[in-house]
């Protein structure tokens, strides 16, 4: 049930990948604002994952899971009715907030239901595979209908069905910590993220403009205020002491660079291919199924590596395979040849599967068992912060590089590969002291 709900959440997240040109045309969205159509959901996710994980541990994981799934269904249906860029973006942000409650609590529910290491390995492996499965199915569902609004109605209805079944099939669990929700931390962290994403999105039109500088300054000040709040509150959203632990740092940095290098590129690349190669939404969805489908299959089988390859080394290998895969795609767009993308999509798909299998296991292993939802929320927060930044960066680079979109595609591919190599080195050196 938790894996199925996770897949639906990721389907709503990835649906705009192949329908972005159609949605932008229907809502009269200029090119400079299209990043908001993609970034709404990861912004809501990143802003609320930490507080959702903390609330789930303290006040009931099933309660937060059901509330999040119900809210996801309703907000997705509202997105189908949006008639302007800002209304659609607000609906996407609300979808992200609802998905945060669902995703953060789902791993906490699994840790409670599967307390043994073997059971936890199997459960988190399936959960990670369904992350890849949702990413794979979202563009197919969205591209299969003649109108993008119908796809949103179908996904909203699926979330409501899961919400209706969950109370009967899931048992409640919570940590006995008690205390009040960390509202001050949630507000300061959420505002810091909004300021950062707004700065990255507006930066496309000039990084030295006053609004961009002021937003970056606001993000830095709010983040410092968030750290101060977390140090003083009795029940913080995140235990900052965990940042001294290499395993938690590996989990967090792995999530951050997955967002930056992987999600940032693949969120916009389908739309870019439609604009440069003339592919339809459905053609693009089937092409990218090579990447996301392989990611699903590899994540499902990655548990067989347990005992031979640690989650940290799986992350490093996954990042290196992503780098090799995207580098293999260099020049394909400029040559106007979609078949040249296939080997790279295969390699990158295998790498993504390893990432999606290792990240949830490392997230719950890097924190005490009773704080599993908080650990999940922290890792996924960094993942979607990276996604927000990665999407904004990808669109900014690809649309402002001299030589047109084809040249821009090669530049963002090179940037993605470089970030993945940095991530592989970083998670490789973050190991527990003996």
């Amino acid at each position: 049930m938790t894996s199925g709900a996770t897949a639906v959440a990721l389907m709503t997240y990835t649906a705009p990948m192949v329908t972005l040109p159609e949605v932008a045309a229907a809502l009269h969205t200029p090119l400079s604002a299209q990043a908001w159509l993609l970034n709404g959901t990861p912004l809501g996710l990143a802003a609320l994952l930490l507080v959702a994980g903390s609330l789930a541990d303290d006040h009931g994981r099933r309660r937060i899971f059901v509330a999040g799934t119900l809210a996801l269904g309703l907000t997705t249906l509202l997105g189908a009715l949006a008639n302007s860029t800002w209304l659609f973006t607000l609906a996407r942000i609300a979808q992200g907030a609802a998905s945060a409650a669902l995703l953060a609590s789902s791993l906490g529910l699994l840790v409670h239901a599967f307390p043994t290491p073997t059971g936890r390995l199997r459960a988190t492996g399936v959960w990670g595979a369904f992350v890849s499965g949702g990413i794979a199915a979202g563009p197919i569902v969205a591209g299969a209908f003649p109108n993008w609004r119908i796809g949103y109605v179908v996904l909203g209805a699926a979330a409501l069905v899961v919400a209706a079944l969950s109370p009967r099939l899931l048992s409640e669990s919570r940590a006995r910590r008690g205390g009040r929700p960390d509202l001050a931390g949630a507000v300061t962290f959420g505002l810091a993220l909004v300021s950062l994403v707004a700065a990255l999105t507006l930066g496309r039109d000039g990084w030295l403009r006053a609004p961009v500088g002021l937003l970056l300054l606001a993000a830095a000040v709010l983040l410092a205020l968030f750290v101060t709040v977390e140090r003083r509150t009795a029940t913080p959203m995140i235990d900052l002491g965990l940042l001294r632990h290499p395993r938690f740092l590996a989990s967090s940095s792995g999530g951050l660079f997955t967002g930056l290098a992987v999600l940032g590129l693949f969120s916009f690349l389908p739309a870019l291919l439609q604009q440069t190669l003339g592919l339809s939404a459905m053609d693009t969805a089937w092409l990218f199924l090579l990447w996301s489908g392989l990611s699903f299959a590899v994540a499902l089988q990655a548990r067989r590596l347990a005992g031979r390859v640690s989650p940290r080394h799986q992350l490093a290998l996954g990042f290196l395979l992503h780098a090799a895969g995207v580098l293999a795609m260099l020049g394909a767009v400029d040559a106007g040849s979609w078949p040249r993308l296939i080997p790279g999509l295969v390699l990158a798909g295998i790498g993504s599967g390893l990432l999606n299998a290792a990240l949830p296991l490392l997230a719950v292993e890097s924190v005490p068992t009773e704080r599993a939802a908080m650990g999940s929320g922290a890792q996924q927060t960094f993942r979607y912060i990276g996604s927000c930044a990665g999407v904004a960066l990808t669109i900014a680079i690809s649309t402002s590089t001299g030589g047109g979109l084809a040249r821009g595609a090669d530049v963002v591919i090179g940037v993605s590969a470089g970030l993945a190599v940095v991530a592989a080195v970083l998670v490789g050196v973050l190991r527990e002291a003996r």
Side-chain angles (χ1 to χ4, degrees), residues 133-405:
I135 292 173
I140 298 294
V141 171
F145 296 101
N147 188 295
W148 63 271
R149 297 181 188 274
I150 299 175
Y152 272 72
V153 171
V154 171
L155 291 173
L160 292 177
V161 169
V162 175
L165 294 175
S166 295
R168 301 179 182 180
L169 299 176
L170 300 175
S171 58
E172 187 59 283
S173 66
R174 60 171 57 86
R176 300 297 179 185
R177 186 175 67 152
R180 296 180 179 179
D182 181 15
L183 296 180
V187 170
T188 52
F189 189 73
L191 290 176
L193 282 183
V194 171
S195 300
L196 176 61
V197 174
L200 292 171
T201 303
L202 294 175
R204 176 187 175 275
D205 298 321
W207 294 101
L208 299 179
R209 294 186 302 137
V212 176
L214 289 173
L215 285 167
L216 289 173
L217 178 62
V221 171
L222 287 164
L223 187 59
L225 184 58
F226 167 73
V227 171
T228 302
V229 169
E230 295 305 283
R231 285 177 173 171
R232 294 183 177 181
T233 186
T235 53
M237 285 167 47
I238 181 171
D239 179 2
L240 296 178
L242 289 170
L243 294 174
R244 296 192 295 267
H245 296 181
R247 185 175 292 185
F248 184 81
L249 284 175
S251 169
S252 300
S253 58
L256 177 66
F257 278 92
T258 296
L260 274 171
V262 181
L263 296 179
L265 175 66
F266 281 101
S267 291
F268 185 65
L269 195 56
L272 192 149
L273 292 180
Q274 291 179 45
Q275 296 174 47
T276 55
L277 301 184
L279 299 175
S280 68
M282 201 61 192
D283 289 339
T284 312
W286 284 117
L287 180 62
F288 273 77
L289 187 61
L290 274 175
W291 169 68
S292 52
L294 271 171
S295 178
F296 172 78
V298 170
L300 201 59
Q301 297 300 318
R303 67 178 184 273
R304 302 182 186 279
L305 296 174
R308 294 190 290 256
V309 182
S310 69
R312 184 171 55 84
H313 287 110
Q314 284 186 48
L315 286 181
L317 179 58
F319 281 122
L320 290 175
L321 285 172
H322 169 81
V326 296
L327 287 176
M329 296 191 287
L330 282 172
V333 176
D334 194 30
S337 172
W338 65 262
R340 281 184 54 181
L341 297 167
I342 291 176
L345 290 172
V346 169
L347 276 176
I350 296 171
S352 179
L354 291 174
L355 294 175
N356 286 336
L359 281 171
L361 182 60
L362 193 59
V364 298
E365 286 186 344
S366 65
V367 297
T369 302
E370 67 274 11
R371 304 300 290 153
M374 185 272 289
S376 169
Q379 179 263 119
Q380 292 182 84
T381 295
F382 283 103
R383 179 185 182 117
Y384 293 109
I385 289 173
S387 175
C388 287
V391 167
L393 186 65
T394 297
I395 293 178
I397 292 174
S398 62
T399 57
S400 60
T401 301
L405 285 176

Side-chain angles (χ1 to χ4, degrees), residues 118-132:
T118 301
R120 188 176 303 166
L121 174 66
R122 181 181 296 273
T124 56
V126 171
W127 188 90
F130 272 76
V131 169
S132 299

